[in-house]
Amino acid sequence: MSAFLLPLVIGIAFGVTLERAGLGNARKLTGQFYLTDLTVFKVMFTAIVTAMLGAFWLSRLGVLDLDAIAMPETYLRPQIAGGLVFGAGFALAGLCPGTSCVAAASGRGDGIAAAAGLLAGVLLSGFAFPLFLDFYESDAGGAWTLPSLLHLPYGLVVLMVVVVALGGFAVAERLERRA
Amino acid sequence: MKYSDPYLSGVALGLVLLAAFVFAGRGLGASGAFGSTAAGTVALVAPVYASDNPYFARYLSRPGGPWREWLLIEIAGVIGGGFLSAALAGRLRRGVERGAGVTVRSRLAIAFSGGAVMGFGAVLARGCTSGQALTGGALLSVGSWAFMACTFASGYAVAPLLRRTWR
């Protein structure tokens, strides 16, 4: 039962928080790219910092085993290329995959169009997959983390991310006041 | 109703992500739901081809098959939660978000092509803003942070060309 109920409940909470934040609205979302409304940055980095700190402290307290969490493996070059392609699509659609679903659910036609485009894009990429399989599998780095990249303790990197995020929020507030 | 404070929303979203870590042993995602739907659809039409294709086969070999994929159920929840939240806030409205510089038809075409481009990018990167940026970001994955940096860099490079879509 929890194989169905758990992702459903987590998904509902995910959808509610995205909608509450205004991220189901492409006009609000694209303010990020024109520096008029930096909600995307603020919500994303507050969420990253919150979950990162939560995971860090829960593992310190022995409540959570970090090794038991599915860690996205690094394939650096394909992920750099994927990010560059994805960012262009993000700016075009004004929505990302998760937020396009929220936009569609709240009645927006552009959300439905972006979600339909996503399905078409994934489908075509699947058909063409054998053509770029070698590149896709290249540059495998395993479960590579920033602490091991920087040769710094996990806790120190967590602190650095918090400091960078706080600095980013200060800049974001100034940019919004100027806009 | 006004949108919530972005920092409060971010804390709430972070707690949802943390709950996924603790209770499901994994993070959030979105593009995987599209991958699973694509794989399930292709398997309905051409089962042999689908299980021979290395991309679709991955989703087909999961326990329960492509329609029971964790991320697909999660995204069904996202759609339900988004609907519920918009309804309660009085934001349920049929329409198309666009600037005065484009027609409804071209905005829909741009959104569709943007979606398709993101689909290719997400396949290449093994995830999107949810599975890579949020989840891998919080877990301090090197590839996820590289993906995030490149997504924003590319978005900022392309957005000035699209100003008319929003003004």
Side-chain angles (χ1 to χ4, degrees):
Chain A
M1 189 58 197
S2 79
F4 181 77
L5 210 57
L6 186 61
L8 188 70
V9 170
I10 287 175
I12 291 172
F14 188 19
V16 169
T17 47
L18 288 177
E19 203 285 331
R20 288 279 132 162
L23 298 182
N25 182 328
R27 292 198 73 156
K28 185 166 176 64
L29 222 144
T30 47
Q32 179 67 43
F33 293 120
Y34 302 100
L35 301 179
T36 52
D37 182 335
L38 279 79
T39 301
V40 172
F41 173 79
K42 293 185 210 170
V43 173
M44 230 170 108
F45 275 80
T46 311
I48 289 174
V49 164
T50 303
M52 176 188 69
L53 285 172
F56 175 78
W57 284 110
L58 289 182
S59 84
R60 272 291 155 99
L61 297 171
V63 180
L64 179 68
D65 178 12
L66 282 178
D67 294 328
I69 301 173
M71 174 78 171
E73 285 188 20
T74 293
Y75 292 79
L76 202 53
R77 272 191 293 267
Q79 286 178 307
I80 287 172
L84 293 174
V85 172
F86 186 91
F90 191 2
L92 274 166
L95 296 160
C96 64
T99 52
S100 73
C101 293
V102 176
S106 50
R108 303 307 192 277
D110 49 325
I112 296 172
L118 261 159
L119 187 59
V122 168
L123 203 58
L124 289 176
S125 305
F127 291 136
F129 196 66
L131 300 175
F132 60 88
L133 181 62
D134 286 344
F135 178 63
Y136 178 85
E137 299 284 6
S138 70
D139 217 5
W144 193 16
T145 64
L146 293 178
S148 65
L149 170 75
L150 302 168
H151 300 289
L152 291 172
Y154 179 37
L156 185 60
V157 177
V158 166
L159 182 66
M160 283 162 60
V161 172
V162 173
V163 170
V164 169
L166 290 176
F169 298 148
V171 173
E173 295 300 329
R174 286 188 67 158
L175 285 170
E176 279 183 353
R177 269 201 303 275
R178 210 185 56 186
Chain B
M1 201 166 96
K2 267 184 69 178
Y3 292 124
S4 307
D5 177 79
Y7 299 109
L8 279 179
S9 309
V11 170
L13 181 55
L15 292 176
V16 174
L17 177 56
L18 185 62
F21 287 157
V22 173
F23 298 113
R26 54 164 304 150
L28 303 169
S31 55
F34 291 88
S36 204
T37 303
T41 309
V42 173
L44 284 178
V45 181
V48 177
Y49 166 78
S51 53
D52 278 345
N53 175 300
Y55 180 72
F56 298 130
R58 251 195 340 212
Y59 290 102
L60 301 175
S61 64
R62 303 261 170 91
W67 305 113
R68 295 267 178 101
E69 162 68 27
W70 200 93
L71 286 176
L72 188 60
I73 302 168
E74 180 232 56
I75 280 297
V78 168
I79 293 170
F83 175 82
L84 207 71
S85 170
L88 291 174
R91 283 193 285 263
L92 216 51
R93 182 170 56 78
R94 290 183 104 175
V96 172
E97 298 296 337
R98 66 185 170 101
V102 286
T103 60
V104 168
R105 187 180 285 234
S106 52
R107 166 65 186 132
L108 291 178
I110 292 170
F112 182 89
S113 37
V117 172
M118 277 192 292
F120 178 51
V123 169
L124 262 182
R126 294 169 160 80
C128 62
T129 13
S130 310
Q132 288 295 344
L134 279 179
T135 301
L139 295 173
L140 304 177
S141 157
V142 174
S144 300
W145 280 82
F147 169 80
M148 198 169 6
C150 291
T151 292
F152 278 105
S154 168
Y156 278 106
V158 172
L161 310 170
L162 299 163
R163 200 166 264 276
R164 274 164 45 100
T165 317
W166 308 110
R167 299 292 124 160

